[in-house]
Amino acid sequence: MAPDGAPGLDRLNSADAGAAETALLACCGSRRWARRLAAHRPYPDLDALLAAADEASYDLSPEDLTEALAEESVSPQPLAGARGRGTLAAHTALRAAHAEYERRFRHVFVICLDGLREDELLDHVLSGIRDRLAHEPEEERAVVAEELRRIARGRLAHLVGHRP
């Protein structure tokens, strides 16, 4: 077992390259990112895996970022915990904001929600999308890359059996 007691990390480390890449693609949709992480195995612990993932994320080319964004999708269901008075209007506003964001930037809106309580999710997404609609395209690409990096970290932790 991995030194940090993560059986999922052992599975990732011992998987064949194709299976490892497939698992990693579920964390970030860039094939180059997934190949890079798979090629640098074994990882002694989660921290080493996350450090490698961060480094690979910082090296994403514009094409890699586009590929990763194409694998992301807008959640088809209302955000968990976003129920009650006023949420129908908020979800309607969120759908409209998503449509405007995709029209403006030509890709889905991504935002890391790790560490937020359920009752904070809707407000966080709404304020995030509204703020980011004011960005210039290049500024938004940098924000998107950082959000994808943060999302990938949470997904990697989940993949190897740790909760972010």
Side-chain angles (χ1 to χ4, degrees), residues 48-73:
L49 173 61
L50 294 177
D54 285 348
E55 185 178 325
S57 294
Y58 294 135
D59 290 341
L60 289 176
S61 70
E63 294 78 19
D64 297 328
L65 187 58
T66 297
E67 180 183 36
L69 284 167
E71 295 301 316
E72 297 295 324
S73 65

Side-chain angles (χ1 to χ4, degrees), residues 6 13 19 28-29 41 45 56 59 64 84 93 96 98 108 111-112 138 145 147 153:
N13 282 335
C28 176
R41 294 172 302 144
D45 54 35
D59 290 341
D64 297 328
H98 271 283
V108 298
I111 190 167
C112 183
E138 286 306 308
E147 292 297 324
R153 287 177 64 87

Side-chain angles (χ1 to χ4, degrees), residues 4-160:
D4 61 0
L9 185 57
D10 285 339
R11 282 192 300 277
L12 178 66
N13 282 335
S14 64
D16 68 61
E21 285 179 31
T22 298
L24 292 165
L25 279 169
C27 299
C28 176
S30 164
R31 292 187 193 294
R32 190 167 71 93
W33 181 91
R35 278 193 302 269
R36 183 171 170 177
L37 273 125
H40 287 94
R41 294 172 302 144
Y43 296 100
D45 54 35
L46 177 62
D47 288 339
L49 173 61
L50 294 177
D54 285 348
E55 185 178 325
S57 294
Y58 294 135
D59 290 341
L60 289 176
S61 70
E63 294 78 19
D64 297 328
L65 187 58
T66 297
E67 180 183 36
L69 284 167
E71 295 301 316
E72 297 295 324
S73 65
V74 175
S75 175
Q77 299 184 9
L79 291 169
R83 299 187 188 356
R85 189 176 171 103
T87 58
L88 179 58
H91 280 288
T92 300
L94 185 58
R95 280 191 298 279
H98 271 283
E100 176 60 17
Y101 182 93
E102 288 184 28
R103 184 201 62 74
R104 177 160 165 66
F105 297 112
R106 306 276 189 250
H107 58 77
V108 298
F109 176 76
V110 294
I111 190 167
C112 183
L113 300 174
D114 292 348
L116 295 175
R117 295 187 326 259
E118 283 189 17
D119 62 344
E120 298 173 320
L121 298 177
L122 185 57
D123 286 340
H124 187 75
V125 172
L126 272 170
S127 65
I129 200 167
R130 286 180 180 146
D131 290 346
R132 289 170 51 189
L133 275 166
H135 289 171
E136 292 300 318
E138 286 306 308
E139 177 185 14
E140 182 57 16
R141 290 292 274 197
V143 172
V144 164
E146 176 61 16
E147 292 297 324
L148 282 174
R149 183 192 69 77
R150 292 178 60 219
I151 291 167
R153 287 177 64 87
R155 290 173 179 170
L156 283 167
H158 182 75
L159 176 71
V160 300

